[in-house]
Amino acid sequence: MTLPQSTINPIKTNLNKAISAKNPQAIAAAVDLPPFPKNVGASGGSAAAGPQHQEHLKIDGVDWSNVLNLLLDAHLAIQSNDLAQTYEAQSSLHSALNHALGSSKGNWLVPALHVVCRNTHRAAALADEYVNRSMGNRNDHARLQNAVTLLQASYSKTLNDRVELRPNEPFSEEGSKKAGVLYIVNQLFSMYFRLNTLRLCKNLQKPVESRGIHESGTMGEMVTYRYYVGRLNMFEDQYDQAEQNFDYALRHCHHSSVTNKKRILNYLVPVKLLRGRLPTSKLLEKYSLHEFVPLSNGMRTGNLMEFSDGLMKNQDLFIRRGTYLLLEKCKMICYRNLFKRVYKIVGKEQIKLDYIAKSFKWLGMPIDLDEVECILANLIYKQYIRGYLSHAKRILVLSKKEPFPTSKVIK
């Protein structure tokens, strides 16, 4: 089965004209695909060996027939609402374009490679999603794992180009293929996070940063890169670096990209909460970050009940994002602010632990004095509170000078 000639001719003509003119953006548009089917998956037919179409296309002595036929196969699979076959055709097209990039001079094929990388990623994710859904929620990522190898090959071909990279240089027959690295790295980051293979991210990050490529892409590529590196920093407990990367991503994200800004804030807000910087109500309302409202209010006022209820209510959401344990650590700041309120009410440096236990009881979270001591010992160790505990007298003795140092909480 093949596409009708009335569909083949425009696709073939567009690809022919774009490659003949070596027009990077036109080639990228020519190898792009229509929207993928989302609610269907496989036709049940077996994949044919090699391209189903048999068109011929030769330009300046170079045979582009394989690229054209695989592109036509992908269009056919999409028209047939066959996600599995769409991925098979798209992955073969990706492999063919990798070969074409390696045998060409300059970087005029890089925009087309970016389009193909994006489509391979999307087709693999949708096909796996369909298989998992139809097979009863299996956690099968076979196609996405296969797609990773294709993008890794694209990454190697662009990174290892010997032509020196000149930032902001237009795509041409003399340009460096390294101009395509950052976009591919971002796609691979996304795939590694989906596959939960974060250890592989370091294999990309080190060579990219050692050569300064992370500072020479388009603004969109640099923002995306900082977003993923910030998430890596966060999982490695490098919160100062995570904050810097998320801040950069948020500041430089396009003003109209509200969805992307919200995606960045989903991680920046927890990092800032841990570092004692509470978001304004206006910010949370603007980006519909309602899940952080009880956490922020609870930390601000020392209302442990409000904080704990908010954390429990949105537990599944925070676990999916990978921020639950980070937010759990923020409870220490909530404790600190609760004890500060007790200190202000008592009005002296020596506070009976019984008073603190009563504050927990008043919040509806009764705990015994041993638990109070344990929490206070941790706060003193973290230098959130200056003072010492008298276990024999069950008293907290606070420093007369700045017993609740702000500089240790707000970093």
Side-chain angles (χ1 to χ4, degrees):
M1 180 181 175
T2 59
L3 291 168
Q5 206 63 38
S6 59
T7 303
I8 292 174
N9 289 338
I11 297 173
K12 184 175 182 179
T13 300
N14 289 340
L15 186 63
N16 190 356
K17 287 182 178 178
I19 295 175
S20 297
K22 288 188 170 55
N23 184 327
Q25 302 308 326
I27 301 170
V31 298
D32 202 359
L33 296 175
F36 296 146
K38 292 185 179 179
N39 298 319
V40 290
S43 60
S46 59
Q52 298 182 50
H53 293 81
Q54 301 296 326
E55 297 294 318
H56 299 282
L57 182 62
K58 203 165 190 177
I59 303 170
D60 297 332
V62 179
D63 191 0
W64 290 88
S65 302
N66 195 37
V67 171
L68 171 62
N69 290 321
L70 291 167
L71 178 62
L72 294 172
D73 286 356
H75 277 269
L76 176 61
I78 290 173
Q79 286 191 13
S80 304
N81 290 329
D82 189 337
L83 273 174
Q85 194 58 37
T86 297
Y87 174 70
E88 293 302 323
Q90 173 61 31
S91 61
S92 297
L93 173 62
H94 193 151
S95 181
L97 202 66
N98 276 344
H99 178 74
L101 180 81
S103 59
S104 66
K105 291 184 179 180
N107 59 6
W108 54 283
L109 283 177
V110 163
L113 184 68
H114 286 173
V115 168
V116 168
C117 285
R118 183 194 68 212
N119 286 341
T120 299
H121 181 183
R122 289 171 56 202
L126 287 170
D128 281 340
E129 184 181 319
Y130 169 78
V131 169
N132 292 332
R133 191 170 61 245
S134 61
M135 299 296 288
N137 292 321
R138 286 172 49 192
N139 194 26
D140 182 10
H141 296 294
R143 290 170 182 81
L144 194 62
Q145 288 169 343
N146 176 260
V148 164
T149 61
L150 290 168
L151 270 80
Q152 286 173 338
S154 301
Y155 167 74
S156 297
K157 288 182 183 296
T158 51
L159 182 71
N160 296 327
D161 188 25
R162 295 183 179 181
V163 179
E164 183 183 354
L165 174 63
R166 296 193 179 105
N168 303 318
E169 187 179 42
F171 296 109
S172 67
E173 291 185 79
E174 290 79 36
S176 172
K177 294 182 178 71
K178 291 189 183 78
V181 169
L182 201 56
Y183 182 92
I184 299 168
V185 166
N186 290 336
Q187 290 288 328
L188 282 167
F189 275 162
S190 177
M191 297 163 89
Y192 289 157
F193 272 90
R194 191 186 290 261
L195 293 169
N196 197 26
T197 53
L198 303 188
R199 68 187 186 281
L200 298 177
C201 293
K202 290 293 182 185
N203 298 339
L204 305 176
Q205 188 181 354
K206 288 178 181 177
V208 164
E209 294 189 2
S210 66
R211 305 181 193 196
I213 296 174
H214 66 302
E215 296 176 341
S216 60
T218 65
M219 184 52 70
E221 291 169 355
M222 290 190 289
V223 165
T224 305
Y225 181 82
R226 291 295 192 101
Y227 164 75
Y228 281 115
V229 172
R231 288 181 64 183
L232 283 172
N233 295 147
M234 189 186 74
F235 288 126
E236 294 170 350
D237 295 338
Q238 299 171 344
Y239 299 119
D240 54 341
Q241 294 178 31
E243 186 177 13
Q244 290 173 19
N245 283 309
F246 287 136
D247 272 334
Y248 178 95
L250 186 64
R251 283 198 315 271
H252 294 87
C253 187
H254 196 276
H255 63 87
S256 64
S257 299
V258 177
T259 302
N260 287 340
K261 285 187 175 183
K262 183 176 179 179
R263 189 174 287 125
I264 296 166
L265 286 166
N266 285 337
Y267 297 95
L268 178 58
V269 170
V271 170
K272 284 194 176 286
L273 284 176
L274 184 64
R275 294 169 68 77
R277 300 171 187 241
L278 306 183
T280 63
S281 300
K282 185 178 178 181
L283 176 76
L284 299 180
E285 184 64 33
K286 179 179 179 181
Y287 293 101
S288 301
L289 299 168
H290 305 300
E291 65 271 22
F292 294 114
V293 172
L295 306 184
S296 179
N297 290 342
M299 290 177 66
R300 185 176 282 108
T301 61
N303 189 334
L304 192 62
M305 176 64 81
E306 184 177 9
F307 180 90
S308 297
D309 285 350
L311 193 60
M312 184 61 65
K313 180 181 177 182
N314 298 292
Q315 179 178 357
D316 291 343
L317 175 64
F318 295 140
I319 288 174
R320 282 198 304 273
R321 291 178 184 168
T323 57
Y324 180 79
L325 294 178
L326 171 60
L327 290 167
E328 180 74 30
K329 294 177 183 178
C330 297
K331 192 177 285 186
M332 295 304 291
I333 299 175
C334 201
Y335 285 136
R336 179 256 191 199
N337 290 342
L338 172 62
F339 298 159
K340 186 176 181 180
R341 292 184 71 186
V342 173
Y343 162 69
K344 287 187 175 180
I345 292 169
V346 172
K348 54 184 181 181
E349 282 74 31
Q350 294 188 8
I351 304 173
K352 292 182 180 179
L353 300 190
D354 189 52
Y355 292 160
I356 296 174
K358 284 179 180 178
S359 70
F360 278 90
K361 187 177 180 180
W362 180 80
L363 286 169
M365 304 174 69
I367 61 174
D368 60 33
L369 294 183
D370 288 337
E371 288 180 86
V372 172
E373 274 197 47
C374 182
I375 293 168
L376 283 168
N378 275 298
L379 289 170
I380 291 169
Y381 173 76
K382 289 178 176 289
Q383 300 181 9
Y384 286 178
I385 293 177
R386 284 180 181 160
Y388 64 90
L389 284 165
S390 173
H391 176 70
K393 296 181 179 180
R394 298 283 190 170
I395 288 176
L396 169 66
V397 181
L398 292 169
S399 169
K400 291 184 178 181
K401 182 181 179 183
E402 202 178 5
F404 295 88
T406 304
S407 61
K408 296 298 180 181
V409 178
I410 302 177
K411 300 173 184 176

